[in-house]
Amino acid sequence: RLAELAERAYDSGIYTQSEFLTMAEQDALLRMKNTLHCPFTLEGGHPSCERRVAVFGTEELCGYAYTPDICCVKIAPRNEKFSDDLSHRDFLGALMNLGIRREPLGDIFIKGHSAYLFCLQSIAPFVAQNLDKVKHTSVKCTVLEEVPQELEARREPLSVNVPSERIDAVMAAVWKLSRSESSRLFAAKKVFVNSMISENTSYTLKSGDTVSVRGLGKFIYQGQDRSTKKGRMYVSVDRLV
C-alpha cells in the first residue's frame, strides 16, 4: 500500500498521504526508502508524536507546498470537578466505541483531566459531534486551529555512568535495567532508534539519536561528557517526560 502511494505521487506529481502508521510500520517504510522513487516525510502533528502519517511528494516534485491532513481535537470534561481520573486507555476506548478504526487516529496526549487527540481532518468533525462521554465523564470536543504549546515534551537532562556508548548500556543506565531485561526488550522488538526497530544491542549511539522503548519512554542521546579513571564514561541524554 505504501509503495502504491509513493508511485502515485511520483507519476502524477500530486502529494499522497497514508493513514497513521505504527512505529513498526514506519520502520518497514524507512527500510523501503531506497527502493521508492518518491521522497517522503513522516508527520504526526507534533514533534513528540510516535504515530505518524507518511506524506509522499515534495514541493520540487509537485510544484506546491502541502500541509498534512492532521488536526488536533481537545477532549475536555464538561465539569472538571466531577471528572473521573481518565487514562489513555479510557479515551482510546471511548473513540473505538464510536466505531472508528485505529488508523485515522494518531497520538493521544493527557494533560490533567483533558486529552488532545491528533487525527485525520476527515474524522475530526465526527469525533467532535459524537464523542460526549469517556468512562462516566461527560465531555465536550473542540477542533483546535493550533496545537497548544503545553503539549511540548519536557526534556530532563541526565548524565549517566556507562561502560560504553552501546545502546544497551545507555538504556540500562537511563531506566535502571538489568542486562537480561534490556536484552528482552530488543528480542521483543520494542526498541526503536530514529523510528527504526533496533535489534543490535551493541549499536553505538551517535549524538542526536532518538531512542524510543515501548512501555518505558524516549530519550535523545547527546554524547560523551567525560571519562573516568576506571575506563568508564559519563554520557548525556535528554529524557522526554
Side-chain angles (χ1 to χ4, degrees), residues 52 113 116 121 135 138 147 173 177 185 190 202 218:
R52 296 184 288 177
H113 292 287
Y116 293 86
Q121 290 179 354
K135 210 170 179 180
S138 294
V147 177
L177 305 173
L185 291 169
K190 292 186 176 182
S202 61
K218 182 187 297 186

Side-chain angles (χ1 to χ4, degrees), residues 158-160 221-227 233-237:
L158 293 177
S159 180
V160 293
Y221 185 69
Q222 299 297 344
Q224 183 177 347
D225 284 338
R226 59 187 172 86
S227 299
M233 65 181 69
Y234 281 90
V235 300
S236 292
V237 305

Side-chain angles (χ1 to χ4, degrees), residues 53-116:
V53 302
V55 177
F56 297 95
T58 62
E59 188 170 355
E60 181 181 4
L61 174 67
C62 302
Y64 62 99
Y66 178 79
T67 301
D69 172 27
I70 302 172
C71 67
C72 183
V73 179
K74 181 179 180 180
I75 308 170
R78 291 189 177 275
N79 189 331
E80 192 164 310
K81 181 179 179 181
F82 299 106
S83 173
D84 294 315
D85 288 328
L86 301 173
S87 66
H88 182 282
R89 183 187 295 270
D90 294 325
F91 285 102
L92 182 58
L95 290 161
M96 297 290 97
N97 287 338
L98 294 178
I100 302 174
R101 295 181 301 111
R102 185 66 177 100
E103 289 78 7
L105 306 178
D107 281 18
I108 302 171
F109 292 85
I110 310 297
K111 291 292 181 180
H113 292 287
S114 298
Y116 293 86

Side-chain angles (χ1 to χ4, degrees), residues 20-31 42 48-52 107 189-198 210-214 217-218:
F20 284 94
L21 306 175
T22 64
M23 296 278 291
E25 290 166 339
Q26 293 172 49
D27 169 78
L29 175 60
L30 290 168
R31 293 181 190 278
L42 291 167
S48 298
C49 288
E50 291 195 345
R51 291 176 63 84
R52 296 184 288 177
D107 281 18
K189 298 185 178 181
K190 292 186 176 182
V191 181
F192 296 81
V193 179
N194 302 327
S195 297
M196 296 185 70
I197 293 173
S198 176
T210 298
V211 178
S212 179
V213 182
R214 298 295 298 273
K218 182 187 297 186

Side-chain angles (χ1 to χ4, degrees), residues 117-141:
L117 163 71
F118 287 90
C119 63
L120 298 183
Q121 290 179 354
S122 56
I123 203 73
F126 179 82
V127 172
Q129 293 168 16
N130 292 278
L131 184 62
D132 57 8
K133 183 166 289 190
V134 177
K135 210 170 179 180
H136 304 296
T137 300
S138 294
V139 298
K140 59 181 178 181
C141 299

